[in-house]
Amino acid sequence: MSVLIYAENAGGKFKKSIFEAISYARAIADQNNTSLTAVSIGNVDAAELALLGKYGADKVLNVSGDKLKDFVNQAYASIIAEAAKKEGSAVVVLSNTFSGRGLAPRVGVKLEAGVADGVVALPVQEGGSFKVKKTAFSGKAFAIVELTSAIKVIALVPNSYKVVETGGTAQVEDFSVESKASDFKAMIKEIVRSSDKVSLPDAEIVVSGGRGLKGPENWGMIEELASLLGAATACSKPVSDAGWRPHSEHVGQTGIAVSPNLYIAVGISGAIQHLAGVSSSKVIVVINKDPEAPFFKVADYGIVGDAFEVLPKLIAAVKEYKA
Ligand code: FAD
């Protein structure tokens, strides 16, 4: 057997979540004394591809071409499945991103594999089966699922596994798969960026605001703190419903699920539907003027106070620290 990792790129660059997934896949390969192959799809230059070796891949299959420069779900799934067949891979690892979540079941069907998405830890291996820990019920719980199939497809949640630099080098091979018309039924025609800010699902730090901030005119404080910390901004559902912030920032059960290293919640009560999308954050800091706010029950650090007094002090402190 071998292990295959799909190295997803964004505009020709690999994000940190991919280096986490490679490190994770490397650990599985090492546990099984086998090799790790990365498959890269799209137009990625040689210097960037070399990074895949630096984080643990032994070999890189590079698939390029104009038709594949943007994500095409069916076509990418066919390529990943063919790469797995070529390499005789018994484990396929993806990052649990928007595209990774779409690809995992498609790749699973093509390889007749067992699939687990939302995975947060290394599998426990027992006689050919994998027990994996994954998030369930929008992050409100964890489930242990057992994959007993010969081939396993695993989608790893960003920020749930450490990046390990092995300093190795990977041999890069060009790889191509004969394309089928049915693989290109839905294609991206244009990508319109709504902002250049840190992308929320990949962010390591998130500064999030709720109704306690009273109105959109007060978001300058959230944005300033986020920019100082290199963080993404987020909000609760009522805030985006009221049009104070874009819907793309809404986190929770009905919004985006995030798992950053640090989640700072300002003026958010901590309703169960909000917590569903943020509770797998590594460290949670809550700023709320009500000491009984439910968010404090899941907080690692809590500040009971008025956001309009606490935030300016926090911003000043971060500025002083960085000076
Ligand atoms: P509020 O509940 O109004 O809380 C505001 C908080 O700010 C309070 O705790 C208050 O003490 C504090 N505050 C007020 N003034 C200040 C101040 N000056 N300084 C500091 N703190 C202050 N919600 C989500 O967020 N995401 C979801 O995905 C989601 N999905 C839902 C799905 C369903 C089916 C339902 C029914 C609801 C969903 N909700 C969701 C809504 C959720 O139940 C809560 O209503 C919502 O999260 C509350 O938002 P909030 O905390 O910003 O506002």
Side-chain angles (χ1 to χ4, degrees):
M1 77 167 253
S2 76
V3 178
L4 186 84
I5 150 90
Y6 164 53
E8 173 186 340
N9 73 81
K13 300 280 173 217
F14 299 119
K15 291 189 187 161
K16 179 177 159 264
S17 56
I18 291 308
F19 301 126
E20 292 163 3
I22 296 179
S23 303
Y24 177 90
R26 177 77 258 167
I28 296 178
D30 287 346
Q31 284 171 352
N32 292 282
N33 283 326
T34 189
S35 61
L36 174 65
T37 300
V39 56
S40 165
I41 310 174
N43 297 335
V44 181
D45 67 26
E48 195 69 16
L49 288 174
L51 292 176
L52 301 176
K54 200 171 151 198
Y55 290 96
D58 298 305
K59 190 205 258 186
V60 176
L61 298 178
N62 181 34
V63 188
S64 53
D66 276 352
K67 261 175 113 177
L68 295 167
K69 77 175 169 25
D70 294 320
F71 177 61
V72 194
N73 217 329
Q74 288 290 2
Y76 276 39
S78 296
I79 292 167
I80 296 165
E82 288 305 315
K85 285 181 196 162
K86 172 179 151 44
E87 295 296 300
S89 306
V91 183
V92 178
V93 176
L94 306 103
S95 184
N96 200 67
T97 56
F98 173 77
S99 42
R101 283 196 306 275
L103 286 167
R106 288 180 167 87
V107 173
V109 167
K110 287 175 195 292
L111 296 174
E112 296 184 13
V115 177
D117 65 0
V119 172
V120 293
L122 279 173
V124 175
Q125 302 186 37
E126 261 173 29
S129 87
F130 275 19
K131 282 191 182 146
V132 288
K133 183 177 178 184
K134 57 163 283 170
T135 56
F137 302 109
S138 315
K140 283 199 282 287
F142 291 110
I144 306 291
V145 297
E146 188 168 3
L147 302 177
T148 54
S149 51
I151 303 180
K152 287 107 180 151
V153 175
I154 293 174
L156 177 75
V157 172
N159 291 329
S160 57
Y161 195 81
K162 61 188 180 307
V163 174
V164 182
E165 200 179 311
T166 60
T169 45
Q171 158 211 347
V172 179
E173 268 178 32
D174 285 335
F175 180 61
S176 65
V177 171
E178 208 171 310
S179 61
K180 288 183 262 143
S182 57
D183 278 347
F184 291 92
K185 279 187 184 155
M187 292 185 67
I188 293 174
K189 286 286 174 204
E190 190 187 0
I191 295 176
V192 182
R193 295 214 178 282
S194 53
S195 86
D196 288 330
K197 288 194 294 190
V198 180
S199 120
L200 183 54
D202 298 315
E204 287 184 45
I205 305 177
V206 174
V207 183
S208 189
R211 217 152 39 177
L213 284 165
K214 317 289 183 221
E217 65 282 5
N218 297 322
W219 242 261
M221 297 187 294
I222 296 285
E223 293 201 317
E224 188 175 4
L225 182 60
S227 137
L228 283 166
L229 296 174
T233 50
C235 66
S236 64
K237 183 174 184 294
V239 163
S240 65
D241 285 349
W244 296 0
R245 298 299 289 177
H247 279 290
S248 56
E249 288 195 1
H250 153 202
V251 289
Q253 182 185 324
T254 46
I256 294 176
V258 293
S259 51
N261 291 331
L262 175 61
Y263 184 81
I264 304 177
V266 188
I268 303 177
S269 56
I272 185 115
Q273 298 88 354
H274 184 87
L275 297 183
V278 307
S279 52
S280 49
S281 306
K282 289 224 173 69
V283 174
I284 296 179
V285 175
V286 171
I287 302 170
N288 197 305
K289 70 175 186 185
D290 173 9
E292 301 298 323
F295 224 144
F296 283 122
K297 292 203 174 83
V298 296
D300 297 284
Y301 299 94
I303 301 173
V304 179
D306 187 329
F308 295 88
E309 288 169 19
V310 176
L311 273 182
K313 286 184 186 158
L314 198 53
I315 289 167
V318 177
K319 279 184 180 161
E320 198 182 310
Y321 176 78
K322 290 182 91 177

